[in-house]
Amino acid sequence: MARTPLIAGNWKMHKTQEQAEEYVQALLPRVSAVDGVDIAICVPFTDLQPMVDSTRGSPVEVFAQNMHHAPEGAFTGEISSPMLIELDVRGVVLGHSERRALFGETDRALALKVPAALAAGLVPILCVGETEEERDNDETDRKLRQQINDDLAGVPDDELASVVIAYEPIWAIGTGRVATDEQAQEAIAFIRALVAGRDSRAAESVRILYGGSVKPENASELLALEDVDGALVGGASLEAESFAQIVAATPTTL
Ligand code: PEP
């Protein structure tokens, strides 16, 4: 089963509208000829509309970094899926470890958010991954199983393939410590096997990304791994040149 790789840049809380515009004008010419790789930038809420406008007709899609599960309601400070859809946003990052650790995002909340995103027509990128302590205690599989089971509990089997899963070992995020090829391949194959436990056909087509200190220097090796279908890139996505280099390092199925 050929899976189209996805390279998604997570800007986190970086870039004003002016900085975002400067970035995208530098990125577009660098990726205009790319074929066979999906490209997304996951931008702060205030950058969504200008980035959707500036990338229209280009290979770059615009994703949000969070959303509430409800379509509307008394949830001060939150944003809903109809609000994202109205802007032509294509997808949304859900359950990033920074949201889990710093903002109390729970698996219960994610069990509502992932199906809500799918129902709205958004592509969810669900982030999962273990802490360093969990890896040291041989608890990586348990953690991944629990997150995949809980967070995808509300997704029907025939929609599992529409979710993008990002395996992001927390100890590798923003630290410069990238997972070894063996660690990344093993964890991602394990996640695929968990999906296969629900639906074997979905497991063949679901895209599973690696995230954690991906850089132009290590991208081609990681992206060539059998079960790795792309990358979620933080720090190295903040410069158009390094993000474009990671896109260029992605093996395509064409
Ligand atoms: C991320 O924010 O999801 C991430 C993987 O960050 P970095 O690439 O900087 O480790």
Side-chain angles (χ1 to χ4, degrees):
M1 163 70 62
R3 298 181 292 265
T4 304
L6 168 65
I7 304 297
N10 175 20
W11 288 3
K12 314 193 186 197
M13 195 175 72
H14 291 284
K15 298 195 191 296
T16 62
Q17 289 190 5
E18 191 182 338
Q19 292 164 337
E21 193 55 40
E22 198 180 312
Y23 173 99
V24 84
Q25 293 313 327
L27 179 65
L28 292 182
R30 289 173 162 86
V31 298
S32 59
V34 171
D35 206 4
V37 180
D38 289 346
I39 307 168
I41 49 175
C42 312
V43 309
F45 288 132
T46 51
D47 292 334
L48 287 171
Q49 184 72 78
M51 289 303 94
V52 166
D53 291 343
S54 295
T55 56
R56 223 179 275 282
S58 85
V60 177
E61 296 184 325
V62 177
F63 280 46
Q65 298 175 8
N66 183 30
M67 62 164 233
H68 197 276
H69 71 267
E72 62 180 0
F75 303 109
T76 302
E78 293 289 311
I79 299 284
S80 72
S81 59
M83 295 169 184
L84 298 177
I85 288 289
E86 184 182 41
L87 301 186
D88 277 346
V89 167
R90 186 74 187 92
V92 59
V93 178
L94 294 174
H96 191 280
S97 61
E98 286 154 13
R99 293 220 56 85
R100 293 178 189 259
L102 303 174
F103 302 101
E105 178 130 280
T106 62
D107 290 311
R108 254 176 75 185
L110 289 161
L112 297 171
K113 288 184 182 201
V114 179
L118 287 171
L122 293 163
V123 176
I125 301 180
L126 172 69
C127 302
V128 296
E130 80 287 359
T131 62
E132 183 163 30
E133 193 184 351
E134 286 164 339
R135 176 161 284 273
D136 289 346
N137 292 337
D138 269 340
E139 290 177 1
T140 300
D141 289 1
R142 180 200 59 74
K143 177 71 170 293
L144 295 177
R145 181 183 293 108
Q146 175 249 309
Q147 289 183 322
I148 293 293
N149 285 350
D150 291 1
D151 301 354
L152 297 179
V155 177
D157 290 352
D158 62 358
E159 288 181 40
L160 281 172
S162 304
V163 178
V164 175
I165 301 170
Y167 167 61
E168 297 210 304
I170 295 167
W171 46 270
I173 297 179
T175 59
R177 283 180 59 200
V178 69
T180 64
D181 292 356
E182 293 71 29
Q183 288 169 329
Q185 169 59 29
E186 192 181 48
I188 289 178
F190 180 71
I191 292 169
R192 199 175 299 288
L194 291 173
V195 177
R198 296 257 320 257
D199 186 294
S200 56
R201 282 183 52 189
E204 281 173 33
S205 38
V206 69
R207 292 184 292 180
I208 310 180
L209 316 182
Y210 168 79
S213 298
V214 175
K215 306 261 180 290
E217 304 79 60
N218 58 29
S220 48
E221 202 172 312
L222 285 161
L223 291 165
L225 296 171
E226 189 184 343
D227 278 287
V228 175
D229 304 318
L232 184 55
V233 186
S237 75
L238 291 174
E239 296 290 334
E241 177 60 34
S242 54
F243 187 55
Q245 282 173 10
I246 293 170
V247 172
T250 309
T252 72
T253 47
L254 294 178

